[in-house]
Amino acid sequence: MICELIGIPSEDQLDFQRWSTALVDVNDDSHYDEANMEFMSYLEKLIEQKRVSPEEDLISYLIQVEEGGDGLTVSELYGVIMLLIVAGHETTVNLIANGLLALLTHPEQLTLLKADPSLVAQAIEELLRFNGPVEFSTDRWAKESFTFMDQQVEKGDHVIVSLASADHDPEVFANPGTLDITREKSSHLAFGKGIHYCLGAPLARLEGEIAIQVLLEEYPNLTLAAELSELEWRQSLIIRGLKQLPVKLF
């Protein structure tokens, strides 16, 4: 979906997926520098191609704005595309996979959703809360000193908020460790809050609803094809997601 929005040709989308994974994960095997160089080289050629022959896609529009005098630099153009990779691609991929895993490991909730597909929008909100794709906030620095849960934070300290923990706060959510797709409207933080609220939230919700609903309609006997202990979680400072989610379709 994001590839089509940006203007990545279909034949390059598997490479895009590989680069995206390497750029978000942080471990010794991620080959970040190599992937980053490959990706930047690819974007440079793609941007030049769309500068010469613009199409109906976001990169072409951004290039035209840049040349129209509104001032997008090349680095800003790269920045917008990188933002879309993390905020628009990686998050939705893992919303779908994490949500599907939660349903497959809570068969009573899966049965309920299959029996009443109208619950899908409500289910997506609960799946975002229960095991969302973004585990931590982006970097923050304390504007002033304060004490939080007996921990002293000094002005200027580096602070990272655990969104996953906040979304399991028993003072906000009844039985937070329970997956309940009939839960009333949720105040989860999966899309952030305030001025940092995700601009792509409506698209992500729609993608999640369609993906989960179509999967269950097409493959009603869908089951997990691995033990939970066999599943590997990606090593990332922001994204929470699996390396693979093996399933049986029939």
Side-chain angles (χ1 to χ4, degrees):
M1 187 70 198
I2 292 298
C3 282
E4 291 184 13
L5 178 67
I6 295 175
I8 307 294
S10 58
E11 63 269 21
D12 297 334
Q13 291 181 9
L14 286 178
D15 283 333
F16 184 89
Q17 172 71 38
R18 177 171 58 83
W19 293 325
S20 172
T21 298
L23 292 173
V24 171
D25 288 356
V26 283
N27 57 62
D28 292 338
D29 299 322
S30 66
H31 305 298
Y32 177 91
D33 290 338
E34 180 183 346
N36 189 50
M37 288 180 63
E38 286 183 14
F39 184 58
M40 290 304 173
S41 175
Y42 173 81
L43 283 183
E44 185 178 354
K45 294 174 183 175
L46 184 66
I47 288 170
E48 185 55 36
Q49 174 188 328
K50 291 185 181 295
R51 197 186 303 276
V52 175
S53 303
E55 300 180 35
E56 296 292 318
D57 56 59
L58 185 57
I59 292 179
S60 297
Y61 295 149
L62 290 172
I63 290 169
Q64 291 167 24
V65 168
E66 176 198 1
E67 293 184 334
D70 249 353
L72 269 185
T73 65
V74 172
S75 61
E76 286 171 336
L77 202 52
Y78 287 161
V80 171
I81 296 169
M82 185 62 73
L83 174 66
L84 285 168
I85 289 176
V86 178
H89 170 67
E90 285 289 342
T91 50
T92 307
V93 165
N94 293 298
L95 157 60
I96 294 167
N98 293 2
L100 189 58
L101 176 63
L103 289 170
L104 292 174
T105 53
H106 294 78
E108 75 290 347
Q109 296 296 301
L110 179 60
T111 299
L112 181 60
L113 182 56
K114 288 194 289 189
D116 185 2
S118 69
L119 287 171
V120 68
Q122 211 165 334
I124 291 298
E125 297 305 312
E126 176 66 351
L127 295 172
L128 283 162
R129 181 201 71 82
F130 185 77
N131 195 11
V134 181
E135 193 158 12
F136 299 103
S137 73
T138 51
D139 295 333
R140 302 286 193 276
W141 286 264
K143 291 179 66 176
E144 58 187 37
S145 299
F146 63 93
T147 300
F148 178 71
M149 297 183 70
D150 299 325
Q151 176 68 46
Q152 182 63 27
V153 179
E154 300 295 342
K155 181 178 179 179
D157 281 355
H158 186 200
V159 178
I160 297 178
V161 177
S162 172
L163 301 178
S165 178
D167 283 342
H168 284 74
D169 185 348
E171 294 186 12
V172 178
F173 305 99
N175 302 313
T178 300
L179 181 69
D180 179 7
I181 64 171
T182 65
R183 191 182 293 270
E184 292 300 319
K185 185 176 180 181
S186 175
S187 56
H188 66 73
L189 298 178
F191 291 120
K193 188 176 177 65
I195 62 171
H196 296 285
Y197 191 77
C198 175
L199 291 175
L203 176 60
R205 285 185 165 105
L206 184 61
E207 288 176 299
E209 290 174 21
I210 291 172
I212 296 292
Q213 189 163 3
V214 170
L215 268 172
L216 298 183
E217 287 175 354
E218 294 293 322
Y219 305 105
N221 298 318
L222 184 76
T223 57
L224 189 61
E227 297 295 327
L228 279 176
S229 59
E230 297 173 336
L231 299 179
E232 291 186 69
W233 292 91
R234 295 168 57 184
Q235 299 299 309
S236 173
L237 292 176
I238 297 178
I239 296 296
R240 175 168 172 77
L242 293 164
K243 290 184 178 180
Q244 293 180 328
L245 178 61
V247 295
K248 291 181 182 178
L249 299 180
F250 301 101

